[in-house]
Amino acid sequence: MTVRTRFAPSPTGFLHIGGARTALFCWLEARHRGGEFILRIEDTDRERSTQDAVQAILDGMNWLGLDHDEGPFYQTLRMDRYKQVVENLLKAGKAYYAYESKEEIDVMRAEAMEKGLKPRYNGYYRDRDEGFRDDPNRVIRFKNPASGSVVFDDKVKGRIEFSNDELDDLVLFRSDGFPTYNFAVVVDDIDMNISEVIRGDDHVNNTPRQINVYNALGATVPTFAHLPMILGPDGQKLSKRHGAVGVMQYRDDGFLPHAVLNYLVRLGWSHGDQEIFSREQMIELFDIGNANRAPSRFDVEKLSWLNQQYIKSDDPLELVPHFIWQLRAAGIDPEQGPEPVDVIVALRERAQTLKEMAEKARVWYAPLENYDEAAVTKHLKSATALPALQAVHEHLGASLEWTVESVHEAITAAAAAIEQGMGKVAQPLRVAITGTQVSPSIDHTVFLTGRDEALRRIEAAIKLAGG
RNA sequence: GCUCCCUUCGUAUAGUGGCCCUGGACACCGCCCUCUCAUGGCGGUAACACGAGUUCGAACCUCGUAGGGAGCGCCA
């Protein structure tokens, strides 16, 4: 039997980190085992579901490259099917109508709590068999087995057993005529031939009741794998407060999709000591059975490190479109300066994110207006600054070519001419070009500025140095 | 309250009874390299929640305790 997994988000917001990790694991399991990955939108909650959220989820999946083989399927388009299935259950005596109001149910729960029991429905209409009646409180409930227990072998958590007397008769159809989540998922997973249900472990407690529904429907029960939650850095539930919003925010913040994927795959899963996984390696090595049981915390530091690993090792040409996107987002015109690929080469070891890289690149795309005061004092007012700048200006101006190498030679020659070390020339020059004491290696820094602009900036610095 | 789940350095993890007075990684600290900043290299600080038991031997098995989490909806 072919492996079929699904990712089934409800469209009530963007695709967040936890959802993305679940989607990744589902996708990986399908790809690893040569199966299919299905996308389903669980939109039975008409109040909270929105088309924008559907699009946000699709965008997020697309950005991460988690392609699905079937879908997206929408539950709201399958209403007739749910009705048909529940009718069959009713006819078979495996479900029944119940007429308590929500208030009555609340009282029931409160009473059970008081007795130290689990709050649950007491099964008043279960064997009364009053049949259909036109009543605004009418719901359809499932006749859960009264005795015995449900056992399943969770691929992540191991064997889990629930006693049936812990479970009450869950509502299959609400009084508004819509199916409940617990019913719709089961019908969908059966109809879509899902063989492995991989989802967050907040669903562990729903699993036994769902298994009972599978059995009542005479369907094969799929295997389950419940993934632990991803928490914020403080160990609390991940929230907007942590800045961890939709995955698209990570693009905006300058992260590469494969870096995010790599980070996510290592959250709760590992393969020995390996940290870097290409997409192909993930697919080859992934095994849901190795997933961890304990919840994990989201750590931006590690993500940043991974991101830089990829910035460093990726072909700079492939980073160009991403980088240009970031330049524009930072209000920088990529046309007004050096070739982006040259900038990437100069900055790839100095930026953890592309956003940071764009910020650092600003100096080559806009006129130099501000000088750092401390930098000027330290490197332009020093005794050797003036002769150093003059020598560099001369050698740079005389240089025939304009390449990183020729610039490097010119600077070396200037240093030799005034009998000073590299540092005595590079630092004043760096301040002259960038207005600061920090930049990539001086030859790249000067090269990227362009000959004319570089000479202009050096002239300005010579004036500042008192020349 | 009840049910279920979880617990190795700050973080993510390796470890499946002897190879572990726990290994590599991120972060942190120090040194080296060096035109600054980075990158890179080298080194360092730092953990088996606690208590019993099983065993010749336990991070690994069992039980208990503590702490944390989830669920208990006509939400998904």
Side-chain angles (χ1 to χ4, degrees), chain A residues 266-304:
Chain A
R266 283 285 290 105
L267 216 50
W269 177 81
S270 62
H271 179 73
D273 285 336
Q274 189 171 343
E275 297 286 356
I276 308 287
F277 294 86
S278 68
R279 178 174 270 262
E280 292 69 32
Q281 282 176 314
M282 281 182 206
I283 292 173
E284 187 194 332
L285 301 169
F286 186 78
D287 180 358
I288 190 78
N290 288 141
N292 248 296
R293 290 199 264 250
S296 48
R297 301 185 191 200
F298 188 82
D299 179 18
V300 191
E301 298 290 342
K302 185 79 176 271
L303 206 210
S304 299

Side-chain angles (χ1 to χ4, degrees), chain A residues 14-17 243-251:
Chain A
F14 34 58
L15 179 64
H16 54 86
I17 277 300
V245 282
V247 290
M248 296 312 272
Q249 182 64 46
Y250 290 94
R251 175 199 58 185

Side-chain angles (χ1 to χ4, degrees), chain A residues 25-33 155 196 198 286 288:
Chain A
F25 279 28
C26 291
W27 179 82
L28 243 19
E29 179 68 357
R31 294 286 170 265
H32 172 72
R33 299 180 56 185
K155 287 198 152 184
E196 281 181 47
I198 300 170
F286 186 78
I288 190 78

Side-chain angles (χ1 to χ4, degrees), chain A residues 143-165:
Chain A
K143 220 177 247 185
N144 196 77
S147 60
S149 63
V150 182
V151 179
F152 63 100
D153 190 28
D154 193 281
K155 287 198 152 184
V156 174
K157 309 248 180 198
R159 184 180 188 276
I160 298 177
E161 177 169 3
F162 280 86
S163 174
N164 268 323
D165 54 31

Side-chain angles (χ1 to χ4, degrees), chain A residues 254 256 258 307-327 334 337-365 404 439-441 444-445 447-449:
Chain A
L256 263 4
H258 42 296
N307 201 51
Q308 181 167 35
Q309 294 303 306
Y310 283 108
I311 287 176
K312 274 165 51 186
S313 62
D314 281 356
D315 181 345
L317 285 171
E318 283 177 27
L319 296 178
V320 168
H322 293 107
F323 180 57
I324 288 179
W325 191 91
Q326 286 292 343
L327 285 176
E339 285 299 320
V341 68
D342 292 334
V343 179
I344 292 169
V345 170
L347 286 171
R348 62 203 304 212
E349 289 181 353
R350 295 174 169 78
Q352 292 203 307
T353 67
L354 293 173
K355 186 175 187 169
E356 200 185 320
M357 189 182 275
E359 247 357 286
K360 287 186 199 289
R362 195 182 288 278
V363 67
W364 297 299
Y365 291 91
V404 174
S439 85
S441 63
H444 276 91
T445 301
F447 165 74
L448 290 170
T449 311

Side-chain angles (χ1 to χ4, degrees), chain A residues 411-427:
Chain A
I411 296 169
T412 315
I418 59 166
E419 297 180 329
Q420 291 289 344
M422 199 51 170
K424 292 290 188 200
V425 178
Q427 279 308 80

